[in-house]
Amino acid sequence: MRIGVVFPQTEIGPDPSFVKDYAQTAEALGYKHLLVYDHVLGAGIEHRPDWRGAYTATDQFHEPFVLFGYLAGLTSELELVMGVLVLPQRQTALVAKQAAEVDVLTGGRLRLGVGVGWNAVEYEALGEDFGNRGKRSEEQIELLRALWTEPVINFKGKWHTVTDAGINPLPVQRPIPIWIGGYADSVLRRTARLGDGWFPQMAPNDAAREVIAKLRAYTAEAGRDPDAMGIDARISLKTDSPDIWRAATEAWRDIGATHLSINTMGAGLSPAEHIRQIERYAKEAGGSVKRNA
């Protein structure tokens, strides 16, 4: 099980020195990947009294592709992971181009997690249709892989047309791995048919074991190898107990997670304290962070 960190998007602040120090510390400690959340716009809630979204305009988000371009030159081994990019609110060919560039600049260290999102405010502002985002994402995944593997393509889908064109340079990984986030049964089936891995966001318990078993069954039904399906789970360090951290880590290992991302957000930490917390996990709970492969 490969252990990485969740980049503390909403709490790291705008100072690039903390962004650099966080990523370089994670790499030096032996963490295998850095996972980044994505939102383009936050909703103002002054005139939205019934807002129930997880984030608002007061929550800061670094733009993932620009961030990864910055980190490409500051790290040498750390895998950079979108966890997840809200794919249907973006132009597919542009995502293909941006992802390929990050993969080239990092020497093949990008893993593209994608999802359909929940924030209709972003879709409106970016000029994309919120209502058909699930089905459209499937065509997007098909097009992304075509653009990443062939220098020139002809593609005609329901929502996309590419006529005798391609991106250059192509990525190092052909294709770049695509992992999928979400919980609906339709998302699990989409992951089974199209994804290289899945991002569960739940506790490592019997319910998680059952959902992963269902995903593996769907993968087999789709004619694919269920053992090849990656699972990138998460644990929160909000509870200040290395014993709990260790137990959760081992529980995910027992369930069969291939990757684990530790999340330090939600505990009221400063940027410097986020860095100290990943140091603490590696020392007191990670144990084999450097040995995980």
Side-chain angles (χ1 to χ4, degrees), residues 188 198 200 202-214 252 255:
L188 294 178
W198 180 59
M202 58 185 69
N205 52 27
D206 288 342
R209 195 183 298 272
E210 290 174 7
V211 174
I212 291 172
K214 180 188 292 187
W252 273 120
I255 288 173

Side-chain angles (χ1 to χ4, degrees), residues 174-194:
R174 300 183 190 176
I176 294 167
I178 295 179
W179 290 43
I180 297 176
Y183 294 96
D185 193 70
S186 60
V187 173
L188 294 178
R189 291 186 180 275
R190 183 178 304 133
T191 304
R193 288 185 287 106
L194 303 173

Side-chain angles (χ1 to χ4, degrees), residues 57-79:
T58 64
D59 294 297
Q60 177 189 280
F61 280 83
H62 290 275
E63 201 290 313
F65 281 120
V66 176
L67 173 65
F68 283 175
Y70 177 64
L71 296 181
L74 297 174
T75 60
S76 59
E77 297 180 357
L78 200 65
E79 183 185 33

Side-chain angles (χ1 to χ4, degrees), residues 227-258:
D227 293 332
M229 180 65 66
I231 303 292
D232 193 337
R234 297 175 200 173
I235 64 170
S236 172
L237 304 193
K238 187 160 52 175
T239 300
D240 191 24
S241 169
D243 288 339
I244 293 176
W245 303 346
R246 283 191 291 271
T249 299
E250 293 310 310
W252 273 120
R253 194 189 307 274
D254 180 66
I255 288 173
T258 58

Side-chain angles (χ1 to χ4, degrees), residues 31-261:
Y31 289 104
K32 303 303 181 185
H33 60 269
L34 181 146
L35 182 148
V36 173
Y37 295 167
D38 165 53
H39 279 288
V40 175
L41 296 171
I45 59 173
E46 181 180 357
H47 302 295
R48 293 184 173 95
D50 297 326
W51 182 258
R52 295 292 181 268
Y55 303 107
T56 72
T58 64
D59 294 297
Q60 177 189 280
F61 280 83
H62 290 275
E63 201 290 313
F65 281 120
V66 176
L67 173 65
F68 283 175
Y70 177 64
L71 296 181
L74 297 174
T75 60
S76 59
E77 297 180 357
L78 200 65
E79 183 185 33
L80 303 180
V81 183
M82 299 279 191
V84 295
L85 187 79
V86 185
L87 182 60
Q89 68 185 21
R90 289 174 167 80
Q91 296 170 305
T92 311
L94 182 57
V95 170
K97 179 70 172 179
Q98 291 171 313
E101 183 69 11
V102 170
D103 202 57
V104 167
L105 293 176
T106 59
R109 290 188 281 126
L110 176 65
R111 177 162 35 113
L112 185 67
V114 301
V116 299
W118 51 267
N119 188 355
V121 171
E122 290 184 289
Y123 277 79
E124 177 189 56
L126 292 165
E128 297 292 348
D129 189 339
F130 186 75
N132 65 14
R133 65 197 191 281
K135 291 300 296 182
R136 190 156 45 86
S137 72
E138 298 186 8
E139 185 173 296
Q140 288 183 288
I141 290 171
E142 181 184 357
L143 177 54
L144 286 172
R145 288 185 170 135
L147 286 166
W148 288 333
T149 53
E150 299 293 337
V152 175
I153 70 168
N154 283 282
F155 185 97
K156 180 66 176 178
K158 183 174 181 179
W159 295 284
H160 301 83
T161 300
V162 179
T163 304
D164 201 24
I167 60 173
N168 192 354
L170 290 171
V172 174
Q173 303 176 94
R174 300 183 190 176
I176 294 167
I178 295 179
W179 290 43
I180 297 176
Y183 294 96
D185 193 70
S186 60
V187 173
L188 294 178
R189 291 186 180 275
R190 183 178 304 133
T191 304
R193 288 185 287 106
L194 303 173
D196 296 305
W198 180 59
F199 297 101
Q201 294 191 58
M202 58 185 69
N205 52 27
D206 288 342
R209 195 183 298 272
E210 290 174 7
V211 174
I212 291 172
K214 180 188 292 187
L215 173 62
R216 295 195 191 283
Y218 288 164
T219 304
E221 288 176 13
R224 305 175 68 206
D225 181 3
D227 293 332
M229 180 65 66
I231 303 292
D232 193 337
R234 297 175 200 173
I235 64 170
S236 172
L237 304 193
K238 187 160 52 175
T239 300
D240 191 24
S241 169
D243 288 339
I244 293 176
W245 303 346
R246 283 191 291 271
T249 299
E250 293 310 310
W252 273 120
R253 194 189 307 274
D254 180 66
I255 288 173
T258 58
H259 298 66
L260 180 69
S261 301

